[in-house]
Amino acid sequence: MADSSFDIVSKVERQEVDNALNQAAKEISQRYDFKNVGASISWSGEKILMEANSEERVKAILDVFQSKLIKRGISLKALDAGEPQLSGKEYKIFASIEEGISQENAKKVAKIIRDEGPKGAKAQVQGDELRVSSKSRDDLQAVIALLKGKDFDFALQFVNYR
């Protein structure tokens, strides 16, 4: 019998991020506390730009955006938001969406699987993802449960389970 396997990835659905951004923009345009403060949120190339005339307001925009991401099922670990920066009279926050597992993080995950996971499970790094294989599907389930129990500083999804 062939080995069963699954991939560990860190991907974000761009359309869901776009939907969350549009919902946040709509809420910001309608909310009373954002009137006449130059509050906005939009794409700026690959980054997300949040602007307002005070540091508190720009942080509130980030908070609204984060709540929309959570409602859309996107992990906040994928959002890399910078600190508010003063630019002229405006405060700005640039945020980016992190995708892919770095080599260093993939090695950490593979080490956890080797050390704490079932003996039959093998993990190998493939680019920006990790493939876990084993003869037993129960071992793969145990690896998924083990990794879900750990707290990583990046988002993990489990795909291609076969």
Side-chain angles (χ1 to χ4, degrees):
M1 185 178 126
D3 283 3
S4 299
S5 69
F6 69 90
D7 294 334
I8 301 171
V9 297
S10 182
K11 290 195 176 5
V12 175
E13 204 170 313
R14 175 78 177 207
Q15 185 61 51
E16 289 297 329
V17 175
D18 205 33
N19 290 343
L21 187 130
N22 291 335
Q23 286 179 338
K26 184 172 183 173
E27 181 173 325
I28 289 163
S29 71
Q30 293 174 344
R31 267 181 42 180
Y32 180 76
D33 57 336
F34 287 123
K35 294 275 187 245
N36 302 324
V37 295
S40 70
I41 181 170
S42 62
W43 286 104
S44 174
E46 284 296 303
K47 292 190 179 282
I48 297 162
L49 172 63
M50 294 163 256
E51 296 178 297
N53 66 359
S54 74
E55 190 171 345
E56 291 76 30
R57 288 284 166 248
V58 81
K59 285 182 178 176
I61 293 170
L62 177 61
D63 194 45
V64 168
F65 182 53
Q66 287 175 334
S67 71
K68 299 301 180 190
L69 287 173
I70 290 169
K71 284 182 182 169
R72 295 221 150 258
I74 297 170
S75 172
L76 292 183
K77 292 176 181 176
L79 181 70
D80 182 25
E83 289 298 310
Q85 300 168 338
L86 184 61
S87 171
K89 291 183 177 179
E90 296 272 303
Y91 280 89
K92 296 180 179 186
I93 294 180
F94 285 98
S96 60
I97 303 296
E98 300 290 320
E99 288 196 302
I101 302 174
S102 70
Q103 290 293 98
E104 176 184 313
N105 288 335
K107 286 178 183 171
K108 280 184 200 169
V109 173
K111 183 172 178 4
I112 288 171
I113 293 170
R114 264 196 320 277
D115 295 347
E116 301 175 33
K119 292 285 178 247
K122 297 183 287 293
Q124 57 196 111
V125 179
Q126 296 181 332
D128 62 350
E129 57 186 45
L130 201 68
R131 164 125 335 136
V132 180
S133 58
S134 173
K135 291 201 182 314
S136 162
R137 286 181 170 239
D138 291 342
D139 286 354
L140 295 181
Q141 294 286 346
V143 168
I144 290 174
L146 169 72
L147 294 177
K148 282 186 176 177
K150 299 286 181 190
D151 187 30
F152 296 105
D153 56 352
F154 52 96
L156 290 181
Q157 292 88 31
F158 307 101
V159 297
N160 294 340
Y161 186 83
R162 50 179 171 275

